[in-house]
Amino acid sequence: MLTPELLPRLQQLLTDADLDGWLLYDFRGTNAIAAGLLGFGGMCSRRVFAFIPRTGLPVGIQHAIEPGPWKQWPKGWPLRVYSGWRALESELATLVQGKRVAMEYSPGDAIPYLDRIPAGVLEMVRASGATVVSSAELVSQVYATWTPAQLASHQRAAEHIARVARDTIAHAGACVAAGTPAAEHELQQRILEAFERAGLLTDHGPDVAASENAANPHYVPSASRPRLVQQGDVLLVDLWAKEPNGIYADQTWMASLGTPATRVVTVWEAVRDARDAALTLLRDRIAAGEIVRGGEADDAARAVITARGFGNDFWHRTGHSIDARELHGSGPQIDNLESRDDRVLIPGVGFSIEPGVYLTGEFGVRSEVNAYVGDDALIITPGEIQQELWVV
């Protein structure tokens, strides 16, 4: 969150980027990045701006009827008040006229997770005499990075959910062996109960999917359409959780109920090797102190799956940002398919690596781990990642 303690670092970043300031904008939660940095909570039904200059104090612009969201705005920082649109545009012009300012804007919508500013607001800011550039790198450096304590929390959560995944898969196998197969939604409930016992939180899910359902990347099991996990099935378990006020860990594990078919093993090996190709690229470049971007890791994973003949069945990006506020965060994505994310993977950012192959009507395979960029090394969680398809 934007605080007097953070301000000197942020202003140094603005100086380094040759920016006159960072202009934050939000309306009814359209810009989660701005709301998070400003520490907003409660009702915010009118337009708000905050300008963080390269030198001097930040200035907020609030609507007269909504002082509530600004409760955490430091008392020594100016806060201007408006009621009508003419006053809003006038106040805005006094702050940004003739200046080069960053906003949550991505040219051509190249990075949707960053592109939070409506076209009309961009027009208004430009009409006020400002030159608008993307805040992409500022978001990575200020909004998306983890603290050492948050990394430690993530690592603890990662080990917990890895144990839960292994237990869930072993339980599914034991149920089949006993002749009383469990349904997907029953295994899902078992995971949620394990999270509760461990003191972990999740916002939805997890995903437990058998064979043809695993070919749907966003499948959700349901008691209203129960599907038993039976002998011969491929089982996908995707689960995510965090400690209170911690950073999410997000993993996907794969198993076969009984000896897997050759085709299943072939797909598993393609996905595993794609995951490892992305991790190897990142690990080597970071260790060498070289610049690396998320899109490059996506290309590395996709090249492996394409070479194995399943390129048309890998439908999504290789990974998503995990930031301090969201499981699917606003930092750099591991993506050169769905979006053109060319942001540098800087120390302090975290993300998933999760290539997948989805054969509609047959089965799907995904392998997911998480990674964090350290100062000179890539940290992968959990500590022990899946190398072979589990057979239970």
Side-chain angles (χ1 to χ4, degrees):
M1 195 175 73
L2 178 61
T3 62
E5 293 74 24
L6 176 63
L7 183 60
R9 176 178 171 234
L10 180 48
Q11 290 183 321
Q12 184 60 56
L13 293 172
L14 292 170
T15 299
D16 294 344
D18 192 26
L19 291 168
D20 294 305
W22 189 354
L23 182 63
L24 299 172
Y25 164 84
D26 191 30
F27 174 66
R28 300 174 66 93
T30 55
N31 186 355
I33 295 169
L37 284 171
L38 295 172
F40 280 177
M43 178 176 288
C44 186
S45 65
R46 300 297 193 273
R47 290 175 289 179
V48 296
F49 284 94
F51 183 62
I52 307 165
R54 180 160 61 183
T55 59
L57 296 176
V59 179
I61 303 178
Q62 74 159 71
H63 193 275
I65 69 169
E66 285 189 347
W70 296 88
K71 288 179 179 178
Q72 299 193 68
W73 187 253
K75 295 188 183 304
W77 292 1
L79 189 56
R80 302 180 184 180
V81 181
Y82 78 96
S83 292
W85 63 266
R86 294 176 181 84
L88 172 62
E89 293 184 8
S90 175
E91 294 284 8
L92 182 63
T94 65
L95 291 176
V96 302
Q97 187 173 32
K99 293 181 171 64
R100 186 167 181 263
V101 302
M103 297 188 76
E104 284 67 70
Y105 150 67
S106 180
D109 194 38
I111 308 173
Y113 275 85
L114 177 72
D115 205 25
R116 310 284 186 132
I117 305 300
V121 174
L122 280 176
E123 291 172 353
M124 178 171 63
V125 174
R126 287 168 174 158
S128 297
T131 298
V132 179
V133 300
S134 176
S135 64
E137 300 301 337
L138 292 172
V139 170
S140 294
Q141 293 165 315
V142 175
Y143 183 87
T145 51
W146 306 357
T147 66
Q150 288 171 330
L151 171 61
S153 175
H154 167 84
Q155 290 173 310
R156 290 191 296 268
E159 298 307 322
H160 271 302
I161 72 170
R163 288 193 290 272
V164 171
R166 289 191 289 267
D167 172 78
T168 301
I169 290 171
H171 178 73
C175 289
V176 169
T180 55
E184 295 166 329
H185 72 276
E186 292 171 331
L187 296 173
Q188 179 192 55
Q189 186 59 38
R190 182 183 178 89
I191 292 171
L192 291 173
E193 291 168 358
F195 286 171
E196 184 174 3
R197 289 193 299 272
L200 298 177
L201 306 176
T202 188
D203 57 351
H204 67 289
D207 177 12
V208 178
S211 293
E212 72 285 351
N213 291 335
N216 175 358
H218 282 172
Y219 176 73
V220 178
S222 171
S224 65
R225 52 177 197 286
R227 192 335 184 145
L228 296 178
V229 178
Q230 305 181 80
Q231 187 75 11
D233 274 333
V234 174
L235 180 62
L236 180 152
V237 177
D238 184 3
L239 66 177
W240 51 92
K242 66 176 182 176
E243 296 179 341
N245 300 313
I247 300 283
Y248 270 104
D250 185 9
Q251 301 166 15
T252 305
W253 301 81
M254 296 300 310
S256 174
L257 280 297
T259 303
T262 300
R263 181 169 169 81
V264 172
V265 174
T266 298
V267 173
W268 158 253
E269 291 178 347
V271 169
R272 177 201 61 195
D273 294 350
R275 177 201 70 196
D276 290 349
L279 292 174
T280 297
L281 172 75
L282 294 171
R283 186 187 294 114
D284 291 351
R285 297 274 286 276
I286 291 166
E290 298 174 355
I291 288 175
V292 63
R293 306 174 193 274
E296 294 176 285
D298 183 57
D299 290 342
R302 203 165 301 280
V304 172
I305 289 177
T306 299
R308 306 287 177 90
F310 299 106
N312 290 335
D313 305 301
F314 182 9
W315 303 333
H316 57 70
R317 63 192 172 193
T318 291
H320 58 81
S321 163
I322 303 173
D323 66 31
R325 297 165 182 83
E326 295 181 276
L327 172 60
H328 292 83
S330 297
Q333 313 291 315
I334 311 303
D335 188 11
N336 194 27
L337 175 75
E338 298 179 44
S339 65
R340 304 183 297 281
D341 201 326
D342 61 356
R343 285 178 285 179
V344 175
L345 298 175
I346 62 171
V349 299
F351 43 85
S352 70
I353 296 290
E354 50 179 305
V357 169
Y358 308 97
L359 305 176
T360 303
E362 295 184 65
F363 62 90
V365 172
R366 182 167 63 252
S367 181
E368 179 182 13
V369 299
N370 299 157
Y372 170 87
V373 181
D375 289 333
D376 56 8
L378 185 73
I379 298 173
I380 300 167
T381 64
E384 182 180 346
I385 65 177
Q386 186 175 6
Q387 296 297 339
E388 303 297 336
L389 184 68
W390 290 346
V391 180
V392 295

